[in-house]
Amino acid sequence: MRGVALALGGGGVRGYAHLGVLAVLEEAGIPIRGLAGSSAGALAAAAYAFGHKDPWKVQGKVFDPELAELRQGGSLRALARVFSALRRPALAEPKRLAEGLKGLFGEARLEESPLPLAVQAADLLSGESVVLRRGPVWRAVLASMAIPGLFPPVDWEGRLLVDGDVAEKVPVRAARALFPKVVAVDVSNPPPKEGPKTALEAALLSGEASRRRLKELALREADLVIALEPPFPIDTFDHEKLPLVYELGQRRARERLKEIQALSRIRLKDLARALRLAP
């Protein structure tokens, strides 16, 4: 069977690049046999699976203006929210994000997806990866995007779920469960070139370093990796960069298009044989 499954990684606004990648594959006639997404990748995977392929429409539905305010961080209101959040479980209120996701997906359920779809979240208490295949799409994506500290965890059948990036930034294993040939799309920023200036920066960088290592281990299991490789770091909530990341996604997919086409044509028995012979 021709085609590939895609593992779409997290990265905030950089996740809109996934829709650019998918647009190129669709144009090239490469069958998409499954989509697995984490965090922003979960939003992109679900949006594409349910026919929402326009990144500007997706942005208009789910972008919360409060996040832009938090990103700027310079206003007294934003600073007051940061300090008051020290006594609350989350910095932002997810109501607007939840309403936006409900508006985008309505009552659709994961098991109703026209394409095999998996949304990856993480168990806040155990750190385990949790792959969601059934349930309301909007709530699954909300759980996968629940960045710890920024958004509160989502209660899902007795488990507290948070951002899928906590467990596996690019959900290659979840994609492999949908279809044996996996293209992973990594929309991470390049590693920082300078060390931390404050204790808070040091704590944040240590978490990023750990997730970067987990991501590298996951990417080794993919058959092919598309890396966004932005020309400069793009902030997680900088929605002004949406056109840039979408175009970058298209460009990176076109650069690897011949390889993706070749992978999509490999017969399953040949792939199984190659995996058995792999060291």
Side-chain angles (χ1 to χ4, degrees):
M1 181 184 295
R2 292 182 62 246
V4 294
L6 273 77
L8 307 181
V13 72
R14 298 184 302 277
Y16 288 104
H18 295 312
L19 294 177
V21 170
L22 286 161
V24 170
L25 301 192
E26 183 177 285
E27 181 183 317
I30 297 174
I32 306 299
R33 300 297 182 186
L35 290 168
S38 176
S39 197
L43 173 60
Y48 185 87
F50 283 91
H52 304 297
K53 301 176 183 180
D54 183 343
W56 285 265
K57 179 180 178 181
V58 174
Q59 176 201 18
K61 284 285 187 181
V62 304
F63 176 49
D64 186 340
E66 291 185 7
L67 296 182
E69 181 184 280
L70 289 172
R71 173 181 168 264
Q72 293 167 356
S75 72
L76 291 176
R77 181 181 174 190
L79 291 174
R81 182 177 299 163
V82 170
F83 286 115
S84 66
L86 296 177
R87 292 175 291 182
R88 295 189 283 115
L91 187 61
E93 171 58 51
K95 182 178 179 181
R96 291 187 185 180
L97 177 59
E99 289 175 348
L101 292 171
K102 287 180 184 178
L104 189 64
F105 297 111
E107 300 300 318
R109 296 179 62 84
L110 294 171
E111 62 267 30
E112 299 169 347
S113 172
L115 292 172
L117 176 63
V119 170
Q120 179 175 280
D123 187 309
L124 177 62
L125 301 183
S126 70
E128 295 176 318
S129 171
V130 179
V131 179
L132 306 175
R133 297 292 312 278
R134 301 182 65 83
V137 176
W138 73 267
R139 190 167 177 80
V141 174
L142 181 68
S144 186
M145 295 176 67
I147 301 172
L150 180 58
F151 293 119
V154 173
D155 189 338
W156 189 288
E157 298 179 355
R159 305 182 81 170
L160 294 178
L161 301 186
V162 294
D163 193 315
D165 289 6
V166 170
E168 190 175 337
K169 193 173 182 67
V170 186
V172 176
R173 287 178 294 177
R176 183 84 68 192
L178 302 177
F179 195 72
K181 294 177 283 185
V182 176
V183 175
V185 186
D186 176 24
V187 295
S188 302
N189 267 327
K193 296 182 179 180
E194 298 181 355
K197 297 181 176 61
T198 66
L200 177 59
E201 284 186 8
L204 293 174
L205 284 176
S206 66
E208 279 297 314
S210 176
R211 285 189 288 273
R212 191 176 300 114
R213 177 59 178 164
L214 290 174
K215 178 198 72 177
E216 291 170 356
L217 293 173
L219 291 178
R220 292 178 186 177
E221 299 183 21
D223 299 295
L224 189 148
V225 177
I226 297 174
L228 185 63
E229 297 179 344
F232 50 81
I234 297 174
D235 188 273
T236 298
F237 303 117
D238 188 356
H239 283 70
E240 293 179 0
K241 299 295 190 300
L242 173 60
L244 170 64
V245 297
Y246 184 79
E247 189 275 331
L248 272 176
Q250 291 183 312
R251 187 190 309 172
R252 299 298 182 236
R254 291 191 179 105
E255 290 169 354
R256 308 297 300 276
L257 188 56
K258 289 184 178 179
E259 296 170 81
I260 300 170
Q261 289 171 325
L263 176 65
S264 73
R265 291 193 293 266
I266 294 177
R267 294 178 300 176
L268 295 186
K269 66 177 183 179
D270 293 337
L271 180 64
R273 181 175 181 275
L275 291 173
R276 286 197 300 272
L277 295 175

